[in-house]
Structure formats: C-alpha cells, structure tokens
Amino acid sequence: MDATLSEVHQELVAVGAAIAANCEPCLAYHVQKAREAGITNDQLQAAVAVAQQVKETPARLMIARANRLLGQGEDRPADTTSSRCCG
C-alpha cells in the first residue's frame, strides 16, 4: 500500500496546519501552491472551514469551562465521549 499523499492532499493539509500554527507566511505560500496544484477556491474554503472548526474547539471548551467555574453553568467535565473532535 502506497501511503504517499498526492500534491493536492499535501497542500490541503498544509493550509490547515498553517491556520493551526497562526503562520501567515505559510498560509500564503500554501494557498499559492494549492492553486498551482489545481485546488479550487471552493475546496480551499472548505479546508479553511474544517481547520477553523478544529482550531476553535479548544477555545470554545475553555470558555465554557471558565463560565462554569464562575457560576455561569453547571461545573462538569466536557463531554469527551463524542466520536467527533470538533462537532
């Protein structure tokens, strides 16, 4: 089995990683490389949306935890039984 990613997949992963790393130069570079690889703006926007969901989940959970600690909600652990990491 060949586990090598295609150039398209590599660039989509790189765009997501650049967003996760808050690296603007990396994002600009990989968006350009993605376009050169034939990735459409719609595909790039979809990749950015997924990256945003994954990146924002820890912040959203931390705010919810802070609110619970400050008496703004029930103080219970976050639900970690979900089969999705960022749903």
Side-chain angles (χ1 to χ4, degrees):
M1 180 175 144
D2 183 5
T4 303
L5 294 176
S6 70
E7 182 181 6
V8 166
H9 290 112
Q10 287 178 35
E11 291 308 326
L12 289 171
V13 169
V15 166
I19 290 169
N22 291 323
C23 183
E24 290 181 39
C26 293
L27 180 60
Y29 175 83
H30 287 291
V31 165
Q32 180 60 40
K33 297 300 273 183
R35 287 182 174 143
E36 290 171 9
I39 300 171
T40 67
N41 276 343
D42 284 346
Q43 290 170 313
L44 283 166
Q45 288 172 344
V48 168
V50 170
Q52 181 179 3
Q53 282 184 307
V54 171
K55 185 174 179 157
E56 288 179 352
T57 295
R60 181 176 38 80
L61 294 174
M62 186 60 79
I63 294 300
R65 176 73 171 134
N67 286 334
R68 288 190 303 273
L69 288 170
L70 296 172
Q72 301 297 313
E74 184 180 333
D75 188 17
R76 58 180 174 73
D79 180 12
T80 58
T81 61
S82 173
S83 63
R84 294 180 49 171
C85 70
C86 53

